[in-house]
Amino acid sequence: MQSLTVCEAPAPAADGTVPGSTGAARQRTLANPISCTGIGLHSGMKVRLSLLPAPAGHGIAFRRSDLPGAPVIPALYDRVVDTRLSTVLGDATDPAIRVATVEHVMAALSGNGIDNALLDIDGPEMPILDGSAAEFDFLICCAGRVEQDAPRRRIEILRPVRVEGEDGAFAELRPAKHGMLLAFSIDFAATAIGRQAHVMPLTEQRFRHEVANCRTFVERRDIEALKKMGLARGGSLENAIVVEEDRILNPGGLRRSGEFVRHKMMDAIGDLYLAGHRLQARFIGHKSGHCLNNRLLRAVLADSANWRLSASHTPASVLRVAA
Ligand SMILES: [Zn+2]
């Protein structure tokens, strides 16, 4: 028998621990299919996306319904084929089989604790929608969720692993007693962005209220180069913050303070969900992006001494309604 979970969960303590944890949590999928249409940020192509329920043990996967045979690409870190400006999943043997800009919907799936779903897409890139994860979060809430008759697993990090990039950038995972705690910082020369930091345990409510509606951003001076590279064709002030030194060019300004670092944290939540399960870990990122996030997962998961699959526990106070 399946049961429905309500869209509320208790806030964890500052160290990310969840009070009142009891028995093993069960996997979740969507209660109903749900669809949307939109354009790809980089391709500019109009696409239709359907989020579909999937059986226990399925995980998250993308299906290119427009291609012959409707190939399925698992949402896994070792299927990442490009991280220049978005995270792109693909098939290394066939460059036509790819799905770009998966990080925002992956973040929304992680934030909502969806373990199993099939994402059917009729083009090469996810719709950018408003440039944040808020509309994916809304779709998942509208679809509803069901618990499944299988225990949920987490990837528990057993020892610190760190990868480093240029100009002091790094991404690191450390062991944690429960759940996931994220700390992210950025440092941009553009004074409209500057130095920002955000710390947050990954719970559904904190995800929804602190990072989900924070939009992607670009510096105006980079737009021309991106378009020459064939990227950002679908970009506009409707789906990205555009910055020029100390100015925000969007007429409405920012949605909240720290929107830039919060967006980068949301990206990291999505990228890290490509581990195949949610993590039990502390994540620390400084000027990290899709490339470093993926390098971190590859470094961690390459050595079985770094991690193990553990049972996930459900908070006692999460309400359940029998279906
Ligand atoms: Zn992003």
Side-chain angles (χ1 to χ4, degrees), residues 94-166:
D94 185 346
I97 301 175
R98 56 190 271 135
V99 180
T101 318
V102 300
E103 56 271 18
H104 301 165
V105 73
M106 290 300 296
L109 291 164
S110 179
N112 280 277
I114 301 294
D115 302 281
N116 304 300
L118 181 61
L119 278 58
D120 197 292
I121 179 97
D122 65 356
E125 185 179 11
M126 294 294 289
I128 189 64
L129 304 178
D130 72 347
S132 78
E135 294 184 355
F136 293 121
D137 182 56
F138 175 73
L139 286 171
I140 293 166
C141 273
C142 290
R145 297 171 301 188
V146 289
E147 288 198 345
Q148 299 172 292
D149 193 16
R152 169 180 281 171
R153 299 278 182 248
R154 283 180 186 249
I155 292 176
E156 182 183 355
I157 299 300
L158 302 177
R159 62 185 187 185
V161 177
R162 176 182 170 115
V163 293
E164 297 182 350
E166 296 178 355

Side-chain angles (χ1 to χ4, degrees), residues 41 85 104 131 184 186 188 190 193 196 214-220 222-223 226 239-243 248 250 254 258-265 267 288:
L41 175 63
L85 284 170
H104 301 165
F184 206 105
I186 57 174
F188 279 75
I193 306 174
Q196 300 185 348
C214 295
R215 295 162 295 172
T216 193
F217 56 95
V218 65
E219 293 192 54
R220 184 176 184 173
D222 295 333
I223 291 176
L226 289 172
N239 55 35
I241 307 166
V242 181
V243 174
I248 308 293
N250 304 62
L254 296 176
E259 185 168 0
F260 303 102
V261 71
R262 290 170 189 244
H263 182 85
K264 298 288 281 184
M265 178 178 282
D267 279 344
S288 187

Side-chain angles (χ1 to χ4, degrees), residues 235-299:
S236 76
L237 293 174
E238 300 298 313
N239 55 35
I241 307 166
V242 181
V243 174
E244 187 169 39
E245 297 178 355
D246 63 344
R247 292 192 303 140
I248 308 293
L249 302 187
N250 304 62
L254 296 176
R255 290 179 170 173
R256 60 194 312 160
S257 66
E259 185 168 0
F260 303 102
V261 71
R262 290 170 189 244
H263 182 85
K264 298 288 281 184
M265 178 178 282
M266 187 267 284
D267 279 344
I269 291 167
D271 287 340
L272 293 173
Y273 200 31
L274 295 175
H277 301 275
R278 292 222 327 205
L279 303 176
Q280 180 180 322
R282 286 171 178 256
F283 170 79
I284 304 160
H286 178 59
K287 301 201 290 189
S288 187
H290 305 304
C291 178
L292 269 189
N293 295 341
N294 187 248
R295 277 179 50 205
L296 178 62
L297 282 188
R298 288 177 188 265

Side-chain angles (χ1 to χ4, degrees), residues 75-110:
L76 292 172
Y77 68 99
D78 58 358
R79 298 301 189 101
V80 171
V81 294
D82 191 350
T83 54
R84 284 179 299 172
L85 284 170
S86 74
T87 296
V88 183
L89 297 171
D91 183 333
T93 64
D94 185 346
I97 301 175
R98 56 190 271 135
V99 180
T101 318
V102 300
E103 56 271 18
H104 301 165
V105 73
M106 290 300 296
L109 291 164
S110 179

